[in-house]
Amino acid sequence: MTRRRLLLTLGCALVCYVVVGLYHASYRPERSGTYLWGAYHVHSTHSDGLGTLEQIAGEARQSRVDFVILTDHGQPNPDSSTIDRNVRGIRFIGGSEAAITDGHLVLFGAREVPRFKLPPHASDAIEDVREWGGFGILAYPDDPKQGWRYWKDDFVPDGIEIVNVSTYLWRAPWWRNLLKVLIMPFSNYHLVEGIADPTVPLQRWDELLARGSVLGFYAANAHGGFAPSWAGNRSVSKPSYSDVFSLIGLGVGRGNRGSLDEALRRGEFFSVIRGAGEPQRFDFRAEKNGQTYPGGSSITGRPDLVVEVETVEIDTWTVLKHDGESVATTADKVLRFTPQVPGVYRAEVYLRKHRYLSPDVPWILSNPIFVDVAFAPSPGVDEECRTTRRIPLDELRVEKDRDSEASYTMSDDRATLTYYLAQATPEVVDRWVALALRGGVDLSSFRGFYLGGESTDYMRYQVELRSGERRFHSSFKLYPGRHQRVFVPFSKFCTPAGCRTPIPLAEIDSFFVTVNTSSTVTGFGSSITIDELGFCD
């Protein structure tokens, strides 16, 4: 009897499972061929993704994706960061996801990747990304695992992730994720249900928009599945690339196919939850004197702002925002508004009745239009040294790991450190060469570190202060054939926990200028020539 009841129970559970699965399988989102669809934040076999570019291209075609922005892990990743190619008709734009002290930055479209890694301080990292020709995006602004921690006024990235699929998967309890996995053999569109109200990222975006032109992105964070640590070399190809690509992405006008990279940098795209449907038309623009200005534009005077949304069956609600506050709404296809005050305007489109998408989540997110906005200069650093404590160059000593090589020579009040940083190996990762000054020093009357000199190669060097077991580090950049006097304020020194920990300046017991595994690649040689070095107020 007990066995019969068990079989009956299992049979009923199986029937319920199939019925629920067929219900989800019956859903078909509205589709549109009006736009180039793109997937941003994608990992390949260049890091922890499961697919090669060929395999990703095949799945992109299945989900009707035209372009893919790679974001393989690295500091940045030298293999994926500068990719720019077509594979099986899919445009791949190279990029990298870098972990710095206060969170993760994504970059794409770099022309070059130098030997050195992104520095620990957020504003320095964005400066480097732009210098390499790249576009830098703040990733995971409110993620429970990877959440961003640096919001000071000197930080103005090029973009920010508003929605990241992984953030909502990590937030969900395990049993909800298990239910999602069980339904995936029937359909992947039910994953849209897990995307929650992105109020916090939107608020952060509006804060950044008060400082500069910052674009908003919906991020797939696609890996092609996952490889459990307990499964050895086995992997699970769910959610696949095509699963995630069909859920969320970017829309770009088809007329931008030949200048896709430039259109993305200008903000001439919108973010959309494709799993909830695709618009037949979406346009946010400014009109003035017969001219049209798309999202991402800056305009003077009093234009008309127009939002157009066209669908076949989807019931939409459009909201126009000024500096983060709603100023106009409509359920009609067209919203027209003439701004009376300067500011940042952007559009959000919501779905009021949808099987999966919450009415609190923007289905479509435009990029901003700036009306009569003049951004204040980013708060700079006063690099003028009023009082200095100069360190005699002959007091510095070379320290290094066992296998690296270094020599330190003096000539005419100039010192040259010539070094070869040994190649890191799985057995010996820590490689370093440093100029060291050991002994207690009180730096409480100074604002930062300064150095005059030049480098044989384009290089970023690390500066480190130690107080007992506590370590504080920052960096400075030098260029070949160009003498520079650089200043690094103590406010830009970081610890592994972040860039906000006060330095005990009165209790410093050692100081280093170093090139090491954490700041650069290994297995190369170069030199730095210094004519002055010390601390200044």
Side-chain angles (χ1 to χ4, degrees), residues 302-378:
R302 291 291 177 268
D304 286 334
L305 298 177
V306 182
V307 188
E308 289 189 51
V309 185
E310 185 177 338
T311 66
V312 176
E313 296 180 347
I314 299 174
D315 185 13
T316 64
W317 180 256
T318 302
V319 179
L320 180 67
K321 291 192 171 182
H322 166 250
D323 293 346
E325 299 295 328
S326 175
V327 292
T329 63
T330 188
D332 296 334
K333 291 182 178 180
V334 180
L335 184 154
R336 186 173 290 270
F337 181 83
T338 302
Q340 300 303 310
V341 294
V344 182
Y345 293 84
R346 57 182 180 79
E348 300 171 3
V349 182
Y350 295 83
L351 303 185
R352 293 186 290 181
K353 298 175 183 178
H354 194 274
R355 182 186 292 191
Y356 297 125
L357 186 64
S358 166
D360 298 324
V361 177
W363 170 49
I364 291 177
L365 191 69
S366 82
N367 276 307
I369 291 177
F370 303 89
V371 178
D372 284 334
V373 173
F375 295 112
S378 179

Side-chain angles (χ1 to χ4, degrees), residues 57-68:
E59 297 203 36
R61 291 173 67 89
Q62 290 178 31
S63 51
R64 299 168 40 257
V65 157
D66 300 279
F67 66 92
V68 172

Side-chain angles (χ1 to χ4, degrees), residues 3-48:
R3 182 178 178 184
R4 182 177 299 175
R5 287 180 179 174
L6 177 61
L7 292 174
L8 182 61
T9 301
L10 291 174
C12 290
L14 180 60
V15 169
C16 291
Y17 170 62
V18 172
V19 169
V20 171
L22 291 175
Y23 166 78
H24 289 291
S26 68
Y27 171 75
R28 291 290 184 274
E30 184 174 321
R31 291 304 186 207
S32 167
T34 311
Y35 299 96
L36 298 171
W37 299 116
Y40 155 76
H41 201 140
V42 179
H43 297 267
S44 73
T45 50
H46 287 307
S47 63
D48 61 346

Side-chain angles (χ1 to χ4, degrees), residues 231-306:
N233 293 326
R234 298 187 183 126
S235 60
V236 180
S237 59
K238 284 289 184 179
S240 66
Y241 290 107
S242 59
D243 288 336
V244 182
F245 291 174
S246 62
L247 291 181
I248 197 166
L250 310 179
V252 179
R254 289 194 170 273
N256 287 306
R257 182 181 291 275
S259 57
L260 185 59
D261 186 82
E262 291 79 6
L264 292 169
R265 291 170 186 257
R266 291 192 301 264
E268 294 179 21
F269 67 90
F270 59 89
S271 294
V272 60
I273 298 175
R274 296 180 66 212
E278 297 166 358
Q280 304 306 311
R281 176 176 172 80
F282 172 76
D283 188 21
F284 175 48
R285 65 185 184 273
E287 296 177 348
K288 182 184 175 185
N289 299 331
Q291 296 290 320
T292 298
Y293 303 85
S297 298
S298 182
I299 186 171
T300 58
R302 291 291 177 268
D304 286 334
L305 298 177
V306 182

Side-chain angles (χ1 to χ4, degrees), residues 451-529:
L451 176 143
E454 62 184 75
S455 177
T456 302
D457 294 281
Y458 174 47
M459 184 60 60
R460 190 176 271 279
Y461 293 91
Q462 193 172 91
V463 190
E464 183 177 318
L465 301 174
R466 293 186 188 177
S467 178
E469 296 299 317
R470 292 172 292 180
R471 301 186 179 193
F472 304 85
H473 59 279
S474 191
S475 63
F476 61 91
K477 193 165 45 181
L478 293 177
Y479 300 83
R482 186 198 310 178
H483 182 274
Q484 293 170 260
R485 197 170 193 267
V486 295
F487 172 68
V488 183
F490 292 138
S491 60
K492 283 194 171 184
F493 279 67
C494 304
T495 70
C499 297
R500 300 163 307 284
T501 305
I503 305 174
L505 293 172
E507 304 169 7
I508 300 301
D509 53 43
S510 54
F511 159 78
F512 304 87
V513 173
T514 178
V515 56
N516 56 47
T517 305
S518 65
S519 62
T520 185
V521 299
T522 56
F524 76 96
S526 188
S527 65
I528 175 175
T529 298

